[in-house]
Amino acid sequence: MLSDLFQRLPASDYDRAIMFPMCLAGSMSDDPLLHDFLKSRCMAHNDDYVGNLYQAGTYMESVWSRRATAVSMNQRSLPIEWRLLLQQRWSYLLLM
């Protein structure tokens, strides 16, 4: 599983190289443990002025928030169009 592989890798400057798979896995996951892990890994780079891992973490939080709102309204898990959210609110985020 992709989340297991992420947890085996130590946090480093190379996190920028795996930003897209981290965002994809985080955006599509309902696992709160994975959310916490990815959020802390992205937020650990908030003092870096190169790259946008911090913004990627914030983007994933917005996807999770939207999903939680949908769940609370419908009492079931609904797919969230993470691509649409990325286009609407995060069009400047480069996930490379």
Side-chain angles (χ1 to χ4, degrees), residues 67-76:
R67 183 175 295 126
T69 301
V71 167
S72 69
M73 295 173 88
N74 295 318
Q75 302 300 320
R76 61 187 175 105

Side-chain angles (χ1 to χ4, degrees), residues 61-80:
E61 285 184 316
S62 67
V63 171
W64 301 330
S65 174
R66 188 173 281 198
R67 183 175 295 126
T69 301
V71 167
S72 69
M73 295 173 88
N74 295 318
Q75 302 300 320
R76 61 187 175 105
S77 183
L78 297 173
I80 301 300

Side-chain angles (χ1 to χ4, degrees), residues 1-2 13 17 23 26 28 33-34 36 43 46 55 71 76 79 87 91 96:
M1 181 172 214
L2 191 58
D13 288 335
C23 272
M28 298 176 74
L33 294 175
L34 181 62
D36 291 341
M43 298 303 176
N46 70 347
Q55 289 88 357
V71 167
R76 61 187 175 105
Q87 286 176 332
S91 60
M96 294 179 70

Side-chain angles (χ1 to χ4, degrees), residues 46-62:
N46 70 347
D47 59 345
D48 293 350
Y49 296 104
V50 178
N52 51 8
L53 276 169
Y54 183 80
Q55 289 88 357
T58 305
Y59 160 73
M60 286 188 288
E61 285 184 316
S62 67

Side-chain angles (χ1 to χ4, degrees), residues 30-42:
D30 287 334
D31 182 6
L33 294 175
L34 181 62
H35 292 180
D36 291 341
F37 171 76
L38 292 174
K39 178 182 166 184
S40 66
R41 190 157 183 159
C42 287

